[in-house]
Amino acid sequence: MSTKKKLANKFIVIEGLEGAGKTTAMQYVGKWLASQGIPAHKITYTREPGGTKLGEYMRDIIKMDIEDESLDDKAELLLMYASRVQLVETVIKPALAQGNIVIGDRHNYSSLAYQGGGRGLDMHFIHSLKQLSLGDFKADFTIYLDIEPSLGLQRARGRGELDRIERLALDFFERTREVFLSLVKQDPNAVSIDAAQTPEQVEKAMFKKLECWVASLT
Ligand code: T5A
């Protein structure tokens, strides 16, 4: 089967902590797909939370600081899923149905890592919520960009003011990272890349991982 055919209808997700370089890496995947002959109009880029008009409102709420009221951890989780379901049902599934390749900036692993690991919410509850809201829908390939939280936050700080989640203590991100690493370890369709490398090295490593993955597809 041709590479183009193998890649049709595939959902590729980039995961990682703040400042890991996910937004930058999305462009690398796009560049690699172009090198495989995939035209730009067959690639759909998404981000979570957000990616739809309604989802972007939810993203604003998630990132917002409200005086004298903090967002409950479970409410935060439900907002992540509300945004995700809206995105999957109205953008991702229709794009995949048209044979597009979807590249996602974050997906389900972020909820398990941040809300499960970082916030300490019950993992079974999160798995059940995922199953109830999205069934078996999942990424075909996940690229996790691994970075020391302190370095990631330093990069994020260089980009501007930190938001509500980014201002959390370092141990929150240590717990989040641990869950990301264990999820990747258990998933044969996920790989980890050292995101502390230079952008050129990250790009090269991503191209290699994408080539290995596509070679494994039948
Ligand atoms: N969240 C999200 C949850 O808690 N649960 C969930 O289920 C979901 C979906 C989303 C927030 O919501 C949380 C996680 C987040 O806190 P976001 O904006 O999507 O927020 O995510 P952030 O991680 O905050 O996005 P960032 O923009 O901070 O990180 P990126 O996209 O990983 O990094 P990027 O590419 O913007 O790069 C950051 C800076 O580093 C530089 C870039 O030029 C940029 O200045 N950089 C590098 N510098 C040196 N070497 C490299 N290799 C570099 N790569 C990038």
Side-chain angles (χ1 to χ4, degrees), residues 130-161:
K130 190 262 161 195
Q131 212 53 38
L132 277 169
S133 57
L134 289 171
D136 291 332
F137 182 83
K138 62 180 170 63
D140 292 293
F141 189 51
T142 301
I143 300 174
Y144 167 63
L145 297 176
D146 184 48
I147 196 154
E148 283 278 345
S150 53
L151 177 56
L153 289 168
Q154 189 184 317
R155 284 186 190 167
R157 232 175 266 122
R159 204 201 37 204
E161 216 177 290

Side-chain angles (χ1 to χ4, degrees), residues 7-27:
L7 286 166
N9 327 89
K10 293 291 182 285
F11 179 30
I12 302 170
V13 172
I14 316 287
E15 293 275 14
L17 293 178
E18 351 288 299
K22 296 175 298 301
T23 312
T24 314
M26 302 270 288
Q27 304 313 313

